[in-house]
Amino acid sequence: AEGILTARGGMTSHAAVVARGWGRPCICGCTTLNIDEGNGVLTVTLEDGTTKTFKENDAISLNGNTGEVLEGKQTVAPPAITGNLKTFMDWVDETRTVDVLANADTPEDAEEARKNGANGIGLCRTEHMFFKPERISQVRQLILGNEEQSATALNGLLTYQRDDFEGIFKAMDGLPVTIRLLDP
């Protein structure tokens, strides 16, 4: 999904925390939603009391800042720290005495973290490196395959992981990176 929309919850619910980590827009606790999962239908009660129904694969857009659910696909700009938030963050950077560390599991996550002012990575979850479809199949082969299949899968995963770590360390440019390893 490109965004997360829930009928229950709030800004500290797991969906919101995960969405922030993924850099996805999220609206939690949209009480005007009625989700009929069995029929793949989402009904929204509008401010005037009328309803709008969306079917599976209909496009909607989410404004995570305002909580607006918009019909159709909207043109968006990449997120940026600007205006009053930029001014505030500059003030914070001048006076803070602690570093801000990000959760980042891929080189792309690490680059985004640096763009947003992170002073390192506080948690790199190695298992998240394997979520891409071409990688997860190798993880399954590693676990379920015979000895030869497992060895082949492990070698493939090693290549992915080396490339990912190289990209993460390059993006962090000497800043600290904490890695949670897997226990086979």
Side-chain angles (χ1 to χ4, degrees):
E2 295 297 317
I4 298 174
L5 175 63
T6 70
R8 292 183 292 179
M11 63 187 284
T12 59
S13 48
H14 190 68
V17 173
V18 168
R20 278 192 291 276
W22 287 344
R24 301 280 193 258
C26 180
I27 301 172
C28 287
C30 186
T31 57
T32 60
L33 295 182
N34 183 354
I35 302 168
D36 182 348
E37 198 172 342
N39 291 314
V41 174
L42 167 71
T43 304
V44 181
T45 303
L46 305 175
E47 289 180 354
D48 64 5
T50 62
T51 60
K52 175 72 181 168
T53 300
F54 297 93
K55 297 183 189 115
E56 197 168 344
N57 297 320
D58 285 350
I60 62 171
S61 297
L62 307 177
N63 185 330
N65 290 328
T66 65
E68 292 176 286
V69 179
L70 306 164
E71 185 173 357
K73 200 170 196 172
Q74 304 294 312
T75 304
V76 297
I81 299 175
T82 60
N84 290 339
L85 178 59
K86 172 81 169 106
T87 301
F88 176 74
M89 294 307 292
D90 289 343
W91 292 343
V92 168
D93 283 342
E94 290 171 12
T95 59
R96 68 183 163 94
T97 58
V98 297
D99 283 335
V100 175
L101 304 177
N103 285 359
D105 311 313
T106 66
E108 297 79 21
D109 291 346
E111 289 169 14
E112 192 65 28
R114 286 299 304 276
K115 281 188 218 168
N116 287 307
N119 301 108
I121 297 175
L123 178 59
C124 175
R125 298 160 290 204
T126 53
E127 68 275 14
H128 288 203
M129 295 175 169
F130 305 125
F131 286 168
K132 293 179 182 172
E134 68 275 8
R135 297 178 181 196
I136 197 70
S137 63
Q138 287 188 319
V139 171
R140 291 178 183 133
Q141 183 179 348
L142 172 67
I143 295 167
L144 301 172
N146 62 34
E147 194 171 321
E148 183 180 327
Q149 292 168 326
S150 294
T152 301
L154 190 58
N155 284 331
L157 292 170
L158 179 61
T159 301
Y160 287 132
Q161 201 163 44
R162 279 185 178 149
D163 291 345
D164 283 353
F165 282 134
E166 184 177 317
I168 289 167
F169 292 137
K170 184 176 179 183
M172 286 294 111
D173 193 30
L175 294 173
V177 176
T178 303
I179 299 167
R180 180 172 69 199
L181 300 174
L182 295 176
D183 183 3

